[in-house]
Amino acid sequence: MDRFMEAAVAEAKLGLAEGGIPIGAVIVHNGRIIGRGHNRRVQKGSAILHGEMDALENAGRQPAAVYRECTLYTTLSPCAMCSGAILLYGIPRVIVGENRTFLGEEELLRSRGVAVAVLQEPECIGMMSDFIAARPELWNEDIGV
């Protein structure tokens, strides 16, 4: 696993340790993490703080030129909301830890020119599988079921 996906996994573990949903993300520009985050819907009572959204928030305002040179690493396939933010800011590359437990809007991203790679990292799959089995009601709430 590369260091940027490791950082996203570390964020996911932090979210789980805080009592939240174990999904993490980092935004990388020119080989440097400029934003990192994890799903904090539970911790913050938020409707929108998925891992990717939290990473964008923590990256702060960036010029469009910066977003167009970034790669977003996320432990789980991005949902419609997070995919919309990726498209809005023109992030050209997304590296997904896994999409077996949840298949987000990868095809939408690809149809709009975003390069999407799915790694099927065993650690990401195991973390989400264990969480969904232990907390199905919280998981269903997070994905709008």
Side-chain angles (χ1 to χ4, degrees):
M1 187 180 320
D2 82 12
R3 66 187 174 113
F4 298 125
M5 186 55 70
E6 285 177 354
V9 168
E11 285 291 327
K13 290 177 179 177
L14 181 57
L16 184 62
E18 294 170 352
I21 300 164
I23 303 167
V26 297
I27 301 168
V28 177
H29 180 256
N30 290 336
R32 186 174 66 84
I33 295 173
I34 63 168
R36 60 177 61 231
H38 53 275
N39 187 303
R40 295 192 303 157
R41 288 186 72 247
V42 173
Q43 300 92 311
K44 294 285 189 177
S46 171
I48 62 167
L49 278 182
H50 284 185
E52 300 91 335
M53 302 297 278
D54 193 40
L56 279 165
E57 178 71 13
N58 290 330
R61 289 177 58 199
Q62 299 293 327
V66 169
Y67 292 122
R68 286 193 299 265
E69 296 176 342
C70 286
T71 300
L72 185 144
Y73 289 75
T74 179
T75 59
L76 186 65
S77 186
C79 73
M81 176 179 65
C82 296
S83 294
I86 290 163
L87 293 173
L88 178 67
Y89 291 106
I91 297 171
R93 288 172 301 285
V94 177
I95 310 297
V96 177
E98 67 102 352
N99 66 4
R100 290 188 185 162
T101 62
F102 177 78
L103 177 58
E105 298 295 331
E106 295 171 20
E107 287 310 312
L108 170 64
L109 292 170
R110 288 183 182 109
S111 77
R112 299 280 297 273
V114 177
V116 178
V118 182
L119 305 178
Q120 303 301 15
E121 285 286 349
E123 188 170 8
C124 295
I125 295 167
M127 190 166 37
M128 281 310 300
S129 296
D130 292 348
F131 178 80
I132 292 167
R135 302 289 308 274
E137 73 295 338
L138 184 54
W139 172 241
N140 288 336
E141 173 192 318
D142 193 67
I143 60 169
V145 174

Tab-separated table of all heavy atoms in Angstrom, residues 45-77:
chain	number	residue	atom	x	y	z
A	45	GLY	N	-22.298	15.561	14.188
A	45	GLY	CA	-23.725	15.668	13.922
A	45	GLY	C	-23.972	16.298	12.557
A	45	GLY	O	-24.904	17.083	12.376
A	46	SER	N	-23.133	15.968	11.596
A	46	SER	CA	-23.145	16.586	10.274
A	46	SER	C	-23.884	15.727	9.254
A	46	SER	O	-23.799	14.502	9.278
A	46	SER	CB	-21.703	16.800	9.800
A	46	SER	OG	-21.671	17.200	8.449
A	47	ALA	N	-24.535	16.386	8.332
A	47	ALA	CA	-25.180	15.685	7.223
A	47	ALA	C	-24.213	15.440	6.073
A	47	ALA	O	-24.493	14.620	5.197
A	47	ALA	CB	-26.370	16.494	6.725
A	48	ILE	N	-23.088	16.139	6.039
A	48	ILE	CA	-22.245	16.110	4.840
A	48	ILE	C	-20.777	15.735	5.061
A	48	ILE	O	-20.052	15.595	4.080
A	48	ILE	CB	-22.287	17.467	4.098
A	48	ILE	CG1	-21.740	18.573	4.980
A	48	ILE	CG2	-23.682	17.766	3.606
A	48	ILE	CD1	-21.458	19.857	4.235
A	49	LEU	N	-20.320	15.568	6.261
A	49	LEU	CA	-18.885	15.346	6.471
A	49	LEU	C	-18.465	13.897	6.237
A	49	LEU	O	-18.063	13.187	7.148
A	49	LEU	CB	-18.452	15.816	7.858
A	49	LEU	CG	-18.190	17.302	7.975
A	49	LEU	CD1	-17.715	17.652	9.379
A	49	LEU	CD2	-17.181	17.792	6.944
A	50	HIS	N	-18.557	13.486	4.971
A	50	HIS	CA	-17.944	12.233	4.567
A	50	HIS	C	-16.428	12.448	4.535
A	50	HIS	O	-15.952	13.588	4.612
A	50	HIS	CB	-18.442	11.827	3.185
A	50	HIS	CG	-19.829	11.265	3.194
A	50	HIS	ND1	-20.420	10.742	2.076
A	50	HIS	CD2	-20.748	11.143	4.186
A	50	HIS	CE1	-21.636	10.314	2.367
A	50	HIS	NE2	-21.855	10.552	3.639
A	51	GLY	N	-15.669	11.381	4.406
A	51	GLY	CA	-14.210	11.500	4.425
A	51	GLY	C	-13.676	12.454	3.374
A	51	GLY	O	-12.808	13.286	3.653
A	52	GLU	N	-14.188	12.345	2.159
A	52	GLU	CA	-13.714	13.202	1.078
A	52	GLU	C	-14.072	14.662	1.324
A	52	GLU	O	-13.265	15.563	1.079
A	52	GLU	CB	-14.316	12.747	-0.268
A	52	GLU	CG	-13.964	11.323	-0.649
A	52	GLU	CD	-14.954	10.270	-0.167
A	52	GLU	OE1	-15.669	10.510	0.834
A	52	GLU	OE2	-15.021	9.207	-0.794
A	53	MET	N	-15.275	14.897	1.827
A	53	MET	CA	-15.723	16.263	2.102
A	53	MET	C	-14.891	16.870	3.230
A	53	MET	O	-14.531	18.058	3.178
A	53	MET	CB	-17.210	16.282	2.453
A	53	MET	CG	-18.102	15.696	1.364
A	53	MET	SD	-18.049	16.607	-0.182
A	53	MET	CE	-19.199	17.907	0.193
A	54	ASP	N	-14.576	16.078	4.239
A	54	ASP	CA	-13.759	16.544	5.353
A	54	ASP	C	-12.345	16.879	4.861
A	54	ASP	O	-11.768	17.899	5.258
A	54	ASP	CB	-13.723	15.474	6.446
A	54	ASP	CG	-13.176	15.972	7.768
A	54	ASP	OD1	-13.491	17.112	8.176
A	54	ASP	OD2	-12.446	15.200	8.422
A	55	ALA	N	-11.801	16.055	3.978
A	55	ALA	CA	-10.467	16.332	3.430
A	55	ALA	C	-10.472	17.625	2.618
A	55	ALA	O	-9.546	18.438	2.730
A	55	ALA	CB	-9.993	15.161	2.570
A	56	LEU	N	-11.516	17.836	1.819
A	56	LEU	CA	-11.629	19.092	1.066
A	56	LEU	C	-11.728	20.281	2.012
A	56	LEU	O	-11.065	21.298	1.816
A	56	LEU	CB	-12.851	19.055	0.142
A	56	LEU	CG	-12.666	18.319	-1.170
A	56	LEU	CD1	-14.013	18.026	-1.810
A	56	LEU	CD2	-11.775	19.108	-2.116
A	57	GLU	N	-12.552	20.148	3.033
A	57	GLU	CA	-12.708	21.229	4.015
A	57	GLU	C	-11.373	21.541	4.685
A	57	GLU	O	-10.999	22.705	4.846
A	57	GLU	CB	-13.754	20.828	5.067
A	57	GLU	CG	-13.969	21.838	6.148
A	57	GLU	CD	-14.693	23.093	5.701
A	57	GLU	OE1	-15.260	23.121	4.588
A	57	GLU	OE2	-14.692	24.062	6.474
A	58	ASN	N	-10.642	20.495	5.047
A	58	ASN	CA	-9.376	20.687	5.747
A	58	ASN	C	-8.253	21.169	4.829
A	58	ASN	O	-7.260	21.721	5.304
A	58	ASN	CB	-8.976	19.404	6.474
A	58	ASN	CG	-9.900	19.136	7.645
A	58	ASN	OD1	-10.442	20.056	8.258
A	58	ASN	ND2	-10.127	17.873	7.946
A	59	ALA	N	-8.420	20.998	3.523
A	59	ALA	CA	-7.454	21.551	2.566
A	59	ALA	C	-7.607	23.064	2.462
A	59	ALA	O	-6.679	23.753	2.032
A	59	ALA	CB	-7.633	20.909	1.193
A	60	GLY	N	-8.754	23.578	2.864
A	60	GLY	CA	-8.993	25.017	2.780
A	60	GLY	C	-9.208	25.455	1.339
A	60	GLY	O	-9.208	24.648	0.414
A	61	ARG	N	-9.418	26.729	1.166
A	61	ARG	CA	-9.622	27.271	-0.179
A	61	ARG	C	-8.348	27.114	-0.991
A	61	ARG	O	-7.277	27.502	-0.546
A	61	ARG	CB	-9.994	28.738	-0.101
A	61	ARG	CG	-11.382	28.970	0.448
A	61	ARG	CD	-11.705	30.427	0.577
A	61	ARG	NE	-11.596	31.103	-0.715
A	61	ARG	CZ	-11.474	32.412	-0.845
A	61	ARG	NH1	-11.435	33.193	0.215
A	61	ARG	NH2	-11.397	32.947	-2.046
A	62	GLN	N	-8.497	26.548	-2.168
A	62	GLN	CA	-7.377	26.369	-3.080
A	62	GLN	C	-7.748	26.966	-4.428
A	62	GLN	O	-8.912	26.924	-4.823
A	62	GLN	CB	-7.057	24.882	-3.266
A	62	GLN	CG	-6.656	24.160	-2.003
A	62	GLN	CD	-5.331	24.631	-1.443
A	62	GLN	OE1	-4.421	25.009	-2.187
A	62	GLN	NE2	-5.209	24.613	-0.136
A	63	PRO	N	-6.784	27.492	-5.146
A	63	PRO	CA	-7.076	27.951	-6.505
A	63	PRO	C	-7.481	26.766	-7.382
A	63	PRO	O	-7.031	25.641	-7.168
A	63	PRO	CB	-5.747	28.539	-6.986
A	63	PRO	CG	-4.901	28.705	-5.776
A	63	PRO	CD	-5.401	27.724	-4.754
A	64	ALA	N	-8.302	27.036	-8.381
A	64	ALA	CA	-8.742	25.982	-9.294
A	64	ALA	C	-7.552	25.254	-9.904
A	64	ALA	O	-7.593	24.032	-10.109
A	64	ALA	CB	-9.637	26.572	-10.381
A	65	ALA	N	-6.481	25.971	-10.184
A	65	ALA	CA	-5.293	25.358	-10.786
A	65	ALA	C	-4.702	24.280	-9.879
A	65	ALA	O	-4.160	23.286	-10.367
A	65	ALA	CB	-4.244	26.419	-11.095
A	66	VAL	N	-4.800	24.453	-8.578
A	66	VAL	CA	-4.283	23.446	-7.643
A	66	VAL	C	-5.156	22.197	-7.695
A	66	VAL	O	-4.649	21.077	-7.840
A	66	VAL	CB	-4.190	24.007	-6.206
A	66	VAL	CG1	-3.907	22.901	-5.196
A	66	VAL	CG2	-3.120	25.086	-6.140
A	67	TYR	N	-6.486	22.364	-7.594
A	67	TYR	CA	-7.371	21.201	-7.645
A	67	TYR	C	-7.149	20.394	-8.920
A	67	TYR	O	-7.192	19.167	-8.898
A	67	TYR	CB	-8.840	21.626	-7.595
A	67	TYR	CG	-9.282	22.212	-6.283
A	67	TYR	CD1	-9.813	23.492	-6.236
A	67	TYR	CD2	-9.199	21.490	-5.099
A	67	TYR	CE1	-10.247	24.040	-5.040
A	67	TYR	CE2	-9.630	22.028	-3.902
A	67	TYR	CZ	-10.149	23.307	-3.877
A	67	TYR	OH	-10.575	23.840	-2.698
A	68	ARG	N	-6.911	21.071	-10.028
A	68	ARG	CA	-6.745	20.383	-11.313
A	68	ARG	C	-5.453	19.567	-11.384
A	68	ARG	O	-5.245	18.831	-12.342
A	68	ARG	CB	-6.801	21.386	-12.468
A	68	ARG	CG	-8.220	21.885	-12.725
A	68	ARG	CD	-8.329	22.623	-14.039
A	68	ARG	NE	-7.484	23.800	-14.111
A	68	ARG	CZ	-7.885	25.040	-13.821
A	68	ARG	NH1	-9.118	25.259	-13.428
A	68	ARG	NH2	-7.047	26.053	-13.922
A	69	GLU	N	-4.596	19.702	-10.369
A	69	GLU	CA	-3.350	18.925	-10.308
A	69	GLU	C	-3.340	17.928	-9.154
A	69	GLU	O	-2.304	17.348	-8.839
A	69	GLU	CB	-2.166	19.885	-10.151
A	69	GLU	CG	-1.968	20.813	-11.328
A	69	GLU	CD	-0.854	21.815	-11.098
A	69	GLU	OE1	-0.443	22.035	-9.929
A	69	GLU	OE2	-0.395	22.407	-12.095
A	70	CYS	N	-4.465	17.726	-8.512
A	70	CYS	CA	-4.526	16.880	-7.315
A	70	CYS	C	-4.963	15.452	-7.622
A	70	CYS	O	-5.594	15.170	-8.639
A	70	CYS	CB	-5.502	17.474	-6.305
A	70	CYS	SG	-4.875	18.939	-5.457
A	71	THR	N	-4.636	14.592	-6.687
A	71	THR	CA	-5.165	13.231	-6.643
A	71	THR	C	-5.839	13.070	-5.291
A	71	THR	O	-5.264	13.451	-4.264
A	71	THR	CB	-4.047	12.186	-6.802
A	71	THR	OG1	-3.395	12.391	-8.060
A	71	THR	CG2	-4.600	10.769	-6.733
A	72	LEU	N	-7.051	12.539	-5.304
A	72	LEU	CA	-7.764	12.260	-4.063
A	72	LEU	C	-7.684	10.761	-3.797
A	72	LEU	O	-8.001	9.961	-4.678
A	72	LEU	CB	-9.223	12.705	-4.179
A	72	LEU	CG	-10.029	12.578	-2.889
A	72	LEU	CD1	-11.023	13.725	-2.785
A	72	LEU	CD2	-10.767	11.255	-2.807
A	73	TYR	N	-7.207	10.412	-2.627
A	73	TYR	CA	-7.153	9.017	-2.173
A	73	TYR	C	-8.269	8.835	-1.162
A	73	TYR	O	-8.378	9.622	-0.213
A	73	TYR	CB	-5.821	8.719	-1.489
A	73	TYR	CG	-4.642	8.670	-2.414
A	73	TYR	CD1	-4.091	9.838	-2.934
A	73	TYR	CD2	-4.073	7.456	-2.770
A	73	TYR	CE1	-2.997	9.801	-3.791
A	73	TYR	CE2	-2.973	7.407	-3.623
A	73	TYR	CZ	-2.452	8.583	-4.127
A	73	TYR	OH	-1.368	8.535	-4.976
A	74	THR	N	-9.095	7.817	-1.349
A	74	THR	CA	-10.179	7.555	-0.420
A	74	THR	C	-10.268	6.059	-0.158
A	74	THR	O	-10.036	5.249	-1.065
A	74	THR	CB	-11.526	8.105	-0.942
A	74	THR	OG1	-12.559	7.805	-0.004
A	74	THR	CG2	-11.889	7.553	-2.307
A	75	THR	N	-10.585	5.691	1.067
A	75	THR	CA	-10.621	4.276	1.412
A	75	THR	C	-11.829	3.565	0.820
A	75	THR	O	-11.821	2.338	0.713
A	75	THR	CB	-10.608	4.084	2.943
A	75	THR	OG1	-11.738	4.743	3.523
A	75	THR	CG2	-9.313	4.608	3.547
A	76	LEU	N	-12.863	4.313	0.440
A	76	LEU	CA	-14.095	3.713	-0.079
A	76	LEU	C	-14.566	4.483	-1.305
A	76	LEU	O	-14.411	5.702	-1.391
A	76	LEU	CB	-15.190	3.738	1.002
A	76	LEU	CG	-16.484	3.018	0.667
A	76	LEU	CD1	-16.271	1.510	0.504
A	76	LEU	CD2	-17.514	3.272	1.768
A	77	SER	N	-15.189	3.785	-2.224
A	77	SER	CA	-15.724	4.373	-3.449
A	77	SER	C	-16.582	5.603	-3.121
A	77	SER	O	-17.453	5.545	-2.263
A	77	SER	CB	-16.568	3.308	-4.167
A	77	SER	OG	-17.009	3.743	-5.417
